[in-house]
Amino acid sequence: MTPPDPTPPAQPGLPGLRATVRESQAKARASRERARAEAEPAPVDPVARVLVDVPLAHLDRTFDYAVPAALAEAAVPGVRVKVRFAGQEVGGYLLERAATTDHAGRLAPLRRVVSPEPVLSPAVAALAADVAARYAGVRSDVLRLAVPPRHATAEKAASVPAPPVPTDLARPHHDWSAHPAAPALLRHLHDGGAPRAVVGVLPGEPWPALLADLVAATLAGGRGTIVCLPDGKDVARLDAALTQRLGPDQHVVLAADAGPARRYRDFLAVSRGARRVVIGTRSAAFAPVHDLGLVVVWDDGDDLHAEPRAPYPHTREVLLLRAEREGTAAVLAGFARSVEADHLLVTGWAHEVGAPREVVRARFRVDIAGASDPARGRDPSGVGARVPREAHLLLREGLERGPVLVQTPRGGYAAALACERCRTPARCAACAGPLALRGPLQPPTCRWCGTPDPAWACAECGHHGLRAPVVGDARTAEELGRAFPKVRVLSSAGDHVLATVPDRPALVVATPGAEPVAAAGYATVLLLDTWAPLAREDLRAAEEALRRWSNAVGLLAPGGRALAVGDPAHPALQALVRWDHGGFAAREAAERRSAHLPPATRVATLTGEPGALDDALTLLPLPPVAEVLGPVPVPSAGPRGPGGAPEEAEEQVVVRTPRVHGAALAAALGELQRVRSARKLDAVRVRLDPPSL
């Protein structure tokens, strides 16, 4: 009989258990090593001051974090970082490194550096602080406008340096003979000076070539330029002009419609110094251009320059702040002149670069229909006509030489309807909203609820006929097509905006801002319904109307003629006829000064629910000279109440103070925002220097 084996049986699971234990021990050692590395501070400047990306006013300050030795090389000023904040991981920007901190306790370490690419330059960080202070906002909101979202693939690619600039870059290509002060401006830009100018452009002048000369003179002097324009159409025109003037790959376009990858790639080209000329819309004002020497705003009165997101900065004001901080030249250019641009001239901050009166009179002509006795005698019934005989004759004459432009302030077909017999406005039977026609074959439809009413009858007289007191571009094009049956009619408005039109006879009907460009200019420009923009209940109604008319007249060919149909006694139309934008702006400024309105004062609006607004006014530490107007109800943009009346759920207060105390008002509003944010009170929208009142 075989004796039993004293060796215990093998346990098959024991080797695997030992391997698991060893793996766990290795992970624990690695964790301890990482913890020691995180705890070990950088040998030089171990403190990082981080601006966290949190849109809360009471947290709009830097927070100190420890810089781990492992991140010492990557954690440079301007990079994106991740930190532990309020129990969660949030992003932020590392603004600076320091040797010491005022914090008494132990500093939390940086979690990680998102990318070693410094995307926030010291100049842009300081500008963001200035903008936030001016508009009572927070820096994180401003930086969302200044720095585009990261695109990792674009960041990995190198930025190719710009080719050498042409040798004759300083020689102007545009004919500046109409502007006697222009040669001195170009010379100062080339020599490294910091001139500040308001440039008035004449109709028929190629303004993209004019701006390209300013950019070229600055670049020839070894400095960079930022040019901000209202919309993509203007950006495209200047893009083509700069490519022709500077050569390819000398500038970049920063615009939101470029797409995330291309926008970030072009932003990095500027940030890395590969490009020093930037054009674009609002966000281009924050471009990190190296050796910045010139900032330019085209058509600064356009409301597209006003940012619709908090803290609602205006491109003009951002670039003026930047010019002051960085000591650069600044140019405001356009066909019209804003009241703010005139204020810069009056205060001596800028100088005018314009054309003498005799040059203006020789370049073009603007008339008002029926303004003279002979004109009224030739067409006695044309005084109340929308398109009088004089306008028809001018269009016919212009069509013999090329395309003609007809500007109408309204889009669509018939934006408002009224009874044909008694002139009572046509209202919807369901919600009492206004009726409109969307096309020649469509029934009247409510603009509020969209209910069609093909069997409409007047509530006053029972008549079924309708008339259109307000006509849009589609109806205008239809009527002019019948008047000129052999002429091609083009429409540019709304979602169908034409960039250019061929240089041959055509009738072009467009709304303001949608006027296409004719290669050689328009032979004739006709301005219809000039009463409509003047009838707006807005502080800038007349100024905005003149700006829109001037931009249309600016598309004239040299020697062309424009005709406006409206009241010849209105100051805005008189200024258009004389092309006296400076005189009109001075008159507007004087009237606003007497009424204590901008730009003589700084104005802020506070909007919110009545209770929240009352709390805000109680907490607001106003300067002694500030004046509070209101509150007044603000109509809601939502559903209508009984009888079609708007529901008024919010109220608004206007606070104004003399311009010299504007900084104190902004500081008081900023403090109000911080207090309300810390106490988690109901929201109140604060807007300084709103574009309209």
Side-chain angles (χ1 to χ4, degrees):
M1 183 174 179
T2 305
D5 189 359
T7 305
Q11 301 180 12
L14 192 58
L17 179 62
R18 292 196 183 105
T20 303
V21 170
R22 286 194 295 270
E23 183 179 354
S24 300
Q25 292 174 343
K27 288 182 179 180
R29 285 193 298 271
S31 298
R32 288 194 296 271
E33 291 174 1
R34 283 197 302 270
R36 282 195 296 269
E38 291 178 357
E40 181 182 356
V44 179
D45 293 336
V47 178
R49 295 200 165 96
V50 177
L51 180 67
V52 293
D53 188 10
V54 177
L56 298 175
H58 69 289
L59 300 177
D60 185 25
R61 60 185 180 88
T62 58
F63 293 87
D64 289 353
Y65 285 85
V67 180
L71 300 179
E73 293 185 4
V76 298
V79 299
R80 290 184 172 99
V81 295
K82 290 289 186 179
V83 297
R84 192 73 174 175
F85 188 84
Q88 56 184 337
E89 187 176 84
V90 299
Y93 294 96
L94 196 158
L95 297 187
E96 62 175 327
R97 295 271 297 270
T100 60
T101 177
D102 295 334
H103 184 65
R106 177 178 175 272
L107 294 179
L110 297 176
R111 299 295 296 267
R112 60 190 175 96
V113 175
V114 176
S115 166
E117 185 77 41
V119 294
L120 181 60
S121 67
V124 175
L127 175 64
D130 291 345
V131 172
R134 177 180 177 82
Y135 289 96
V138 295
R139 283 179 289 178
S140 60
D141 285 338
V142 179
L143 291 178
R144 288 193 191 98
L145 308 175
V147 183
R150 180 174 179 254
H151 193 280
T153 304
E155 193 174 82
K156 294 177 183 177
S159 298
V160 181
V165 298
T167 56
D168 63 340
L169 199 60
R171 181 176 58 85
H173 288 192
H174 176 69
D175 182 10
W176 290 88
S177 58
H179 305 272
L185 173 62
L186 293 170
R187 185 173 61 254
H188 281 300
L189 292 175
H190 178 266
D191 295 343
R196 279 79 184 264
V198 176
V199 179
V201 183
L202 295 178
E205 284 190 310
W207 63 263
L210 182 149
L211 298 186
D213 273 350
L214 299 178
V215 173
T218 308
L219 188 60
R223 298 185 298 168
T225 303
I226 295 175
V227 184
C228 289
L229 305 103
D231 55 30
K233 188 175 65 172
D234 290 337
V235 170
R237 294 187 64 187
L238 183 59
D239 182 23
L242 286 177
T243 302
Q244 181 180 3
R245 182 73 172 84
L246 308 178
D249 300 326
Q250 289 286 356
H251 71 282
V252 297
V253 177
L254 295 183
D257 57 357
R262 180 178 176 182
R263 184 186 178 192
Y264 193 62
R265 182 194 66 198
D266 291 340
F267 173 84
L268 291 179
V270 178
S271 177
R272 294 167 178 172
R275 300 290 185 275
R276 287 188 294 173
V277 177
V278 175
I279 67 173
T281 49
R282 294 182 300 263
S283 61
F286 297 95
V289 176
H290 293 204
D291 302 319
L292 183 63
L294 171 65
V295 295
V296 182
V297 187
W298 171 254
D299 196 12
D300 69 292
D302 196 316
D303 58 5
L304 292 177
H305 281 302
E307 176 62 50
R309 294 171 291 178
Y312 316 108
H314 194 284
T315 302
R316 176 188 59 242
E317 304 304 324
V318 173
L319 289 182
L320 293 183
L321 286 172
R322 190 162 190 179
E324 279 291 309
R325 172 169 285 278
E326 301 187 40
T328 71
V331 171
L332 277 65
F335 293 113
R337 181 183 300 175
S338 67
V339 177
E340 286 76 13
D342 185 74
H343 180 76
L344 298 177
L345 296 176
V346 172
T347 57
W349 193 89
H351 298 278
E352 182 178 4
V353 177
R357 297 303 307 168
E358 57 271 14
V359 175
V360 174
R361 287 192 291 267
R363 287 292 184 97
F364 61 97
R365 178 181 170 186
V366 181
D367 294 310
I368 302 176
S372 63
D373 291 336
R376 287 192 294 269
R378 288 190 296 267
D379 187 14
S381 61
V383 177
R386 181 170 183 261
V387 185
R389 180 173 179 271
E390 184 178 358
H392 280 276
L393 294 176
L394 183 65
L395 292 177
R396 195 176 303 278
E397 176 187 345
L399 286 170
E400 296 177 358
R401 305 195 308 270
V404 298
L405 173 65
V406 179
Q407 186 196 72
T408 178
R410 305 275 187 164
Y413 192 78
L417 298 173
C419 176
E420 188 179 32
R421 178 184 294 169
C422 67
R423 304 298 193 261
T424 301
R427 292 284 179 176
C428 174
C431 70
L435 295 182
L437 284 178
R438 299 176 180 175
L441 302 179
Q442 297 184 12
T445 305
C446 179
R447 287 165 47 192
W448 289 356
C449 66
T451 303
D453 194 355
W456 176 87
C458 179
E460 296 293 329
C461 66
H463 189 64
H464 290 272
L466 287 167
R467 64 185 299 270
V470 180
V471 176
D473 68 292
R475 178 68 177 269
T476 302
E478 180 184 287
E479 294 175 351
L480 291 177
R482 289 197 296 262
F484 299 91
K486 297 182 180 180
V487 178
R488 186 185 183 192
V489 179
L490 303 175
S491 183
S492 179
D495 296 333
H496 180 68
V497 177
L498 304 177
T500 59
V501 293
D503 191 21
R504 58 175 182 265
L507 269 166
V508 181
V509 181
T511 53
E515 302 93 344
V517 178
Y522 289 99
T524 296
V525 172
L526 176 63
L527 306 174
L528 294 179
D529 300 333
T530 56
W531 60 268
L534 294 173
R536 293 171 55 234
E537 295 183 359
D538 190 89
L539 173 66
R540 300 180 182 271
E543 178 188 354
E544 176 67 9
L546 179 59
R547 187 192 68 82
R548 293 181 175 186
W549 301 334
S550 301
N551 286 348
V553 175
L555 298 175
L556 274 174
R561 184 184 172 194
L563 181 69
V565 181
D567 180 10
H570 197 283
L573 283 172
Q574 291 181 356
L576 181 69
V577 171
R578 299 191 306 270
W579 203 254
D580 183 19
H581 297 91
F584 178 81
R587 174 185 176 136
E588 281 282 300
E591 292 180 352
R592 296 184 193 180
R593 193 180 308 113
S594 63
H596 304 289
L597 293 171
T601 61
R602 289 200 68 189
V603 171
T605 59
L606 284 72
T607 309
E609 296 182 355
L613 196 58
D614 184 66
D615 292 343
L617 293 176
T618 303
L619 296 172
L620 180 60
L622 281 174
V625 292
E627 183 181 5
V628 179
L629 307 177
V632 295
V634 176
S636 172
R640 303 277 167 166
E647 295 180 352
E648 297 172 345
E650 291 186 331
E651 293 182 342
Q652 186 177 85
V653 163
V654 176
V655 182
R656 64 183 180 185
T657 187
R659 193 173 186 87
V660 294
H661 300 286
L665 175 61
L669 291 170
E671 181 62 25
L672 170 67
Q673 295 284 67
R674 285 186 285 274
V675 171
R676 294 184 59 79
S677 174
R679 297 183 182 180
K680 299 181 180 180
L681 301 178
D682 292 338
V684 171
R685 294 190 302 277
V686 175
R687 187 162 191 173
L688 261 165
D689 302 326
S692 62
L693 284 174

